[in-house]
Amino acid sequence: TPDNTYILQVQGDALRDERMQDGDLLLIEVRQEIQPGEMILGLINQTDTVLKRYYPEGQYIRLESQEENVRSLIVR
């Protein structure tokens, strides 16, 4: 629904391995359930946004980038 959908614009080239380029528009859908391997938009420390793949691992969540030189984020 329109109330649960946002459009964000890609800035920079950090998402090039996901085939997203500077200036591309992303359609973001807010949902309650996420499947392993899906791309999510996350808010870290109330200030930083990340666009990464979601992998639940027990009591932790691993947020994975497709870029080889970017480390995974592990969150609780």
Side-chain angles (χ1 to χ4, degrees), residues 3-72:
D3 293 338
N4 294 332
T5 306
Y6 300 89
I7 296 176
L8 298 176
Q9 187 172 26
V10 174
Q11 294 180 339
D13 63 354
L15 298 172
R16 68 182 172 277
D17 290 342
E18 293 287 349
R19 308 230 189 285
M20 296 178 212
Q21 299 178 9
D22 186 46
D24 284 355
L25 297 176
L26 305 179
L27 187 63
I28 307 294
E29 175 190 17
V30 177
R31 295 185 296 170
Q32 295 298 315
E33 294 184 25
I34 306 167
Q35 299 300 315
E38 284 189 317
M39 180 81 60
I40 66 156
L41 176 70
L43 181 63
I44 306 293
N45 297 326
Q46 301 292 324
T47 58
D48 300 318
T49 56
V50 295
L51 191 63
K52 300 199 180 275
R53 296 215 177 261
Y54 165 86
Y55 297 97
E57 297 181 345
Q59 60 183 314
Y60 299 98
I61 297 170
R62 178 172 45 97
L63 300 176
E64 186 79 29
S65 175
Q66 293 297 96
E67 291 186 67
E68 292 179 15
N69 60 345
V70 177
R71 293 188 322 171
S72 299

